[in-house]
Amino acid sequence: MSFPYKTVLVIGATSGIGLALAEKCIAIGSHVIAVGRRKENLNDLVQKYGNNKVTIFQFDITNLQGIPDFVKSYASDTLLLHLRTYFTNFPISRVTAAHTKLDSVILNSGIQRGFDFTKPETVDLNMLDLEVTTNYLSHIHLFTHLLPHLQSLAPTLTALIFVTSGLALVPFPRYPNYCATKAAMHHLILSLREQLSGSNVKVVEILPPAVQTELHDEKHQPDIKGGGRVGIPIGEFTEEAWKGLCEGSEGVPVGIIKGHYEGWERERQEGFKMLVRMMKQSGQ
């Protein structure tokens, strides 16, 4: 199989896994809508590939109230075009209005911070809240507002592709909140996939191991020296994850995470499916 999606919205496309997957999509001929906070990184993408292959949107997904506007247009396309005639800076290019054939979304944005609750005075609760919003709440808001568009393309196959973490399955004590957000996403994805089964929207989860990105570099976690070199090379991760996406897998564990996923996680998901069957049989 090959990657079937032609217009891909990549959330968190300015670095790391998001950037790598965005470039992979571009390489196989899909048009990428790259979203991130850092305008200079987005501009680099356009300069490298051209605006015929990539469209950029500078947007901070932690702005939950701004997500409906980001996804949809302010009004009808006709009115937007009229407003653009008189107000050249009017933000006409909302995602689904500008890209009516958008058929897949890669939700990748995330931050990772260490918290030591044995020293509660060191715990930055504002940062903890930001981690929850970035890794979990923003994804819910985004796919909730994007789903009507994806569903409207039926019978065309569309996809929500989530990048979670192997830490969703086995937590690491240094990152209690990060692991909790990824575990929450993992469980949400299982339920969302079940709810959307039989529809044109496929729900995919990529579960990376530690990957050499800026997620745990010294800028964000100064007590980790050389954190950007922790994990497998980004190219190795990308090739393995891409293979799973092209094979049509719903769960794409990478590297050492395969052992957990193909073992007891498969058994746990069978338990979930059994519960679903029991609920359906009982009419619930």
Side-chain angles (χ1 to χ4, degrees), residues 154-171:
T156 299
L157 179 67
T158 64
L160 291 168
I161 302 170
F162 298 88
V163 179
T164 60
S165 170
L167 295 179
L169 308 182
V170 181

Side-chain angles (χ1 to χ4, degrees), residues 259-270:
H260 304 316
Y261 194 89
E262 299 298 342
W264 47 263
E265 173 59 20
R266 286 286 188 197
E267 293 182 11
R268 198 175 69 86
Q269 289 193 28
E270 284 302 318

Side-chain angles (χ1 to χ4, degrees), residues 12-284:
T14 55
S15 66
I17 289 173
L19 175 59
L21 291 175
E23 292 191 306
K24 195 71 177 177
C25 290
I26 293 169
I28 59 96
S30 297
H31 186 86
V32 166
I33 307 159
V35 180
R37 291 181 296 106
R38 290 173 287 186
K39 187 62 177 295
E40 65 278 11
N41 293 29
L42 294 171
N43 288 337
D44 288 344
L45 262 179
V46 173
Q47 186 173 359
K48 184 174 181 180
Y49 295 106
N51 55 19
N52 61 320
K53 295 183 179 180
V54 59
T55 302
I56 58 173
F57 282 87
Q58 184 182 22
F59 183 70
D60 184 348
I61 62 168
T62 65
N63 173 16
L64 302 182
Q65 286 68 40
I67 286 175
D69 239 6
F70 162 70
V71 170
K72 305 170 189 175
S73 62
Y74 280 115
S76 72
D77 290 345
T78 302
L79 177 58
L80 283 170
L81 290 169
H82 182 72
L83 288 168
R84 172 55 68 84
T85 301
Y86 292 97
F87 304 101
T88 56
N89 292 324
F90 192 84
I92 188 173
S93 295
R94 291 306 178 237
V95 171
T96 56
H99 300 277
T100 56
K101 295 184 179 180
L102 168 65
D103 58 1
S104 62
V105 184
I106 298 176
L107 295 119
N108 165 76
S109 293
I111 60 173
Q112 183 187 83
R113 300 293 186 268
F115 296 102
D116 184 356
F117 289 98
T118 68
K119 301 173 183 176
E121 68 279 3
T122 69
V123 174
D124 184 341
L125 291 174
N126 290 326
M127 180 56 70
L128 187 144
D129 289 347
L130 179 63
E131 194 171 49
V132 172
T133 301
T134 305
N135 297 359
Y136 183 67
L137 294 177
S138 67
H139 292 67
I140 298 174
H141 283 246
L142 282 163
F143 76 67
T144 299
H145 288 288
L146 285 161
L147 267 171
H149 167 77
L150 296 176
Q151 291 170 322
S152 74
L153 296 181
T156 299
L157 179 67
T158 64
L160 291 168
I161 302 170
F162 298 88
V163 179
T164 60
S165 170
L167 295 179
L169 308 182
V170 181
F172 186 52
R174 174 185 169 84
Y175 306 114
N177 192 54
Y178 177 85
C179 296
T181 62
K182 295 299 184 177
M185 280 305 308
H186 178 62
H187 283 80
L188 178 66
I189 288 164
L190 291 178
S191 295
L192 181 65
R193 183 181 293 139
E194 176 59 31
Q195 289 185 0
L196 292 174
S197 63
S199 78
N200 70 311
V201 184
K202 187 172 184 176
V203 179
V204 180
E205 181 182 12
I206 302 173
L207 297 97
V211 180
Q212 293 174 12
T213 69
E214 64 178 44
L215 185 69
H216 26 65
D217 64 13
E218 293 179 36
K219 176 183 176 181
H220 304 299
Q221 301 189 63
D223 57 326
I224 302 180
K225 302 306 178 185
R229 297 190 297 274
V230 173
I232 65 174
I234 185 69
E236 180 181 332
F237 161 79
T238 305
E239 290 305 314
E240 190 171 339
W242 192 257
K243 182 175 181 289
L245 291 175
C246 291
E247 289 173 348
S249 302
E250 292 183 332
V252 185
V254 176
I256 63 171
I257 308 306
K258 281 184 175 179
H260 304 316
Y261 194 89
E262 299 298 342
W264 47 263
E265 173 59 20
R266 286 286 188 197
E267 293 182 11
R268 198 175 69 86
Q269 289 193 28
E270 284 302 318
F272 168 72
K273 292 175 183 177
M274 183 182 300
L275 176 63
V276 169
R277 289 194 294 269
M278 290 172 59
M279 297 291 283
K280 288 181 177 179
Q281 289 170 0
S282 64
Q284 298 184 45

